[in-house]
Every structure is written in structure tokens, then in C-alpha cells.
Amino acid sequence: MSCRACGSAVPATAKFCHKCGANLKAELPAAAWRVGLPWGIAGAAVGALLTALVLRSGAGRGATNEVQASFGSPLPAPDISQMSPEERASRLFNRVMVLAQADKQDSVSFFLPMAIGAYQQLPALDNDARYHVGLLQLAGGNTTPALAEADTILTSTPTHLFGFVLRAQAYHQLGDRAKERRAYAAFLKNAPAERARNRPEYNDHKTFLDAFHQEAVRRQSAAPR
Ligand SMILES: [Zn+2]
Ligand SMILES: [Zn+2]
């Protein structure tokens, strides 16, 4: 086999390229990210919640490049001009989430307007797309537009879990503990019935929702009575 970063021939069993040091096993990004999840969520940082979001199963196809890029390999960016508008928006979303998780704020600022612009060009936004836009806004520290996306989601679907997730993270950034707690409580209250609906977007973000649920339970049991 050959290294995808520099093209050198490498043994099939090698973990790293002997020439450029690229991680040759990076085609398993979901597993790699999952390892970091438990401690990340325990810290309850916004970054940790964003990390978990990257675990969405739909990220599989594009994730290798994104992960390698975040490890600093010289792999070129994918050719986004060949993609459908939906795919382009989704790839840019994944890219910003990975960069935000890696705390590369300069790169986040660079890609963020492009990613949000890609969603604005779509003819219509469903709840999942609105959730992506909300998370992008949060990655840029823009709580007002993120809360607006949460409101739109909850207006169309009053019990949609993504609305409560966006609110919890936005109020966390704003330091509004009371509203943050209320958002977590609303999530817990609606989670059983909502998850039973098997909405496809919940399946896309299953790992994240499971982690968020655990965090909500943890907070509830730790809350003062
Ligand atoms: Zn190499
Ligand atoms: Zn999604």
C-alpha cells in the first residue's frame, strides 16, 4: 500500500508512514474520536459536546481527510466544486466541527462563513440542517443566531431534541445557568418519546445524543434540591 499523504510505499501493517509520519490508520476516525469521548463529556465543555457531534455516522466518507487535516498532514482539501450543494454544506459543517474540537480558532473563523453560506444557499432547511447551522454559529461563539435556530426547530417541532441541545449549549456559552439547566431538563423530559420516534437525524447524531443524555442525567442527579 502507499501513504495517502506523501505517496511513499509502506508496509500494509504500518501504523505510521516512515517517510512523512502520517497516521496510516486514520481511515477509522469514528473509533479514534470515540476514545476521547468520555473524559470530554465529563468536562462538559462546549468543545467536548462539539467533539461528540463529529461522531455522526454520516461523517464517515469525508472524515478521513478531515481527521488527517487536523493532524497536520499535507493532504489537499477535497474538491468541493464537484459536490451537490447539500453535500458541500455537510462537508464544510464536518470540517468546522473538527477544527473547533481541535481548538483551531483561526481555521474555524476561516471556514465558518463558507459553511454558513453553504447552508444559506440550500433551497430549504430541515431540522437537521438548522441544527448544523446552530452548531456552526456556536462554534463561532454566536449565541443569538444559534438560539434563533433552536426557536425555529422548536416552533416547527415543539419537542425536537436538537432544539434543547442548541439551547443548552448556547446558554452554557452565555453563562446563564438557570436557562441551561432548563434546557437539559426539557431534553430529559422529551427524550424517551422523541427517541422512540426514530427520526433519521437522531440516528445520524446517535452517539452525540446518547452522550448528551448521560450528561443531562448526571447534571440532574448533581443538582441541588
Ligand atoms: Zn507519507
Ligand atoms: Zn445532522
Side-chain angles (χ1 to χ4, degrees):
M1 72 186 240
S2 61
C3 170
R4 278 169 307 169
C6 72
S8 301
V10 287
T13 51
K15 284 190 181 134
F16 296 94
C17 173
H18 58 87
K19 191 158 179 218
C20 74
N23 184 350
L24 300 171
K25 301 297 178 197
E27 65 269 21
L28 303 168
W33 286 110
R34 204 164 285 134
V35 172
L37 184 59
W39 58 262
I41 287 296
V46 172
L49 295 171
L50 293 174
T51 306
L53 177 109
V54 176
L55 297 173
R56 61 197 287 275
S57 57
R61 204 162 9 120
T64 303
N65 288 355
E66 312 293 345
V67 169
Q68 286 195 341
S70 74
F71 289 156
S73 105
L75 206 76
D79 181 3
I80 54 176
S81 65
Q82 302 295 313
M83 297 175 184
S84 73
E86 287 79 8
E87 196 181 4
R88 181 167 179 272
S90 152
R91 287 293 285 270
L92 283 164
F93 165 75
N94 285 334
R95 170 160 294 237
V96 171
M97 290 300 114
V98 169
L99 291 168
Q101 194 280 326
D103 223 1
K104 299 193 170 170
Q105 205 51 50
D106 284 354
S107 305
V108 169
S109 307
F110 179 79
F111 284 108
L112 195 59
M114 237 185 280
I116 291 172
Y119 279 99
Q120 282 169 346
Q121 282 171 26
L122 298 182
L125 297 186
D126 59 13
N127 284 332
D128 189 53
R130 292 198 176 280
Y131 178 56
H132 294 187
V133 173
L135 289 170
L136 286 168
Q137 297 287 11
L138 287 172
N142 307 316
T143 50
T144 303
L147 286 170
E149 295 299 342
D151 288 349
T152 307
I153 292 170
L154 291 170
T155 300
S156 79
T157 315
T159 55
H160 202 292
L161 297 179
F162 288 171
F164 305 125
V165 170
L166 287 179
R167 281 185 180 169
Q169 297 195 30
Y171 289 127
H172 180 85
Q173 282 193 16
L174 289 167
D176 189 331
R177 296 281 169 263
K179 286 184 176 170
E180 183 187 3
R181 208 176 307 129
R182 225 175 295 155
Y184 271 106
F187 177 95
L188 273 188
K189 180 167 168 257
N190 292 292
E194 276 293 307
R195 293 299 291 270
R197 288 176 185 269
N198 285 317
R199 300 186 195 275
E201 65 268 32
Y202 289 166
N203 198 42
D204 282 352
H205 297 271
K206 180 181 185 305
T207 310
F208 171 77
L209 284 172
D210 290 346
F212 191 90
H213 195 118
Q214 278 178 25
E215 173 65 13
V217 169
R218 189 190 68 79
R219 282 165 173 260
Q220 196 181 50
S221 59
R225 280 154 210 278

